[in-house]
Amino acid sequence: MSGAAALDLRYPIGGLFVVLGLLLAGYGAMTHGDATMYARATGLNINLWWGAAMLAFGALFLALAARAGRRATARPAMETPEGRETERREHEAGLET
C-alpha cells in the first residue's frame, strides 16, 4: 500500500479525541470552582472527567496506530506462493501487462 491507502485511520481519530479532550478538560479545569454550573451533575465536574476520558481514548488510539505502524510488514505479492499464483492468473487474464 502506498499514499492515501496506507493512512491508518486511528491517527486522525485519535488526534481528534485528543484535541477535543484537551479542550473539554481545560474548560472543566477553568470552571472547577463553579458549584452552580455542576449542580445538575450532583456536583461532579463532568467536563473535566469526560475531557480526561476523551484524552485517554485518543491517546490509546494514537499509541495503537504507532504500534501498528512499527509492525507493518506488507510483503510484495511475488514473495508468497499465493501471490505468485494470483499474479500469474491476472497476467493470463490480461489484467496486467
Side-chain angles (χ1 to χ4, degrees), residues 56-94:
F57 183 74
L60 175 69
F61 259 51
L62 290 176
L64 289 174
R67 190 181 87 178
R70 279 180 277 168
R71 288 192 312 169
T73 58
R75 295 182 299 174
M78 295 304 282
E79 288 186 4
T80 63
E82 297 86 8
R84 284 191 289 273
E85 178 63 21
T86 301
E87 291 291 327
R88 185 191 60 75
R89 277 186 280 129
E90 289 178 352
H91 184 73
E92 288 176 1

Side-chain angles (χ1 to χ4, degrees), residues 21-52:
L22 284 173
L23 289 172
L24 192 57
Y27 181 72
M30 288 189 314
T31 60
H32 185 63
D34 191 358
T36 58
M37 180 177 225
Y38 298 108
R40 289 187 345 182
T42 63
L44 181 67
N45 189 344
I46 198 76
N47 291 325
L48 182 63
W49 285 105
W50 270 112

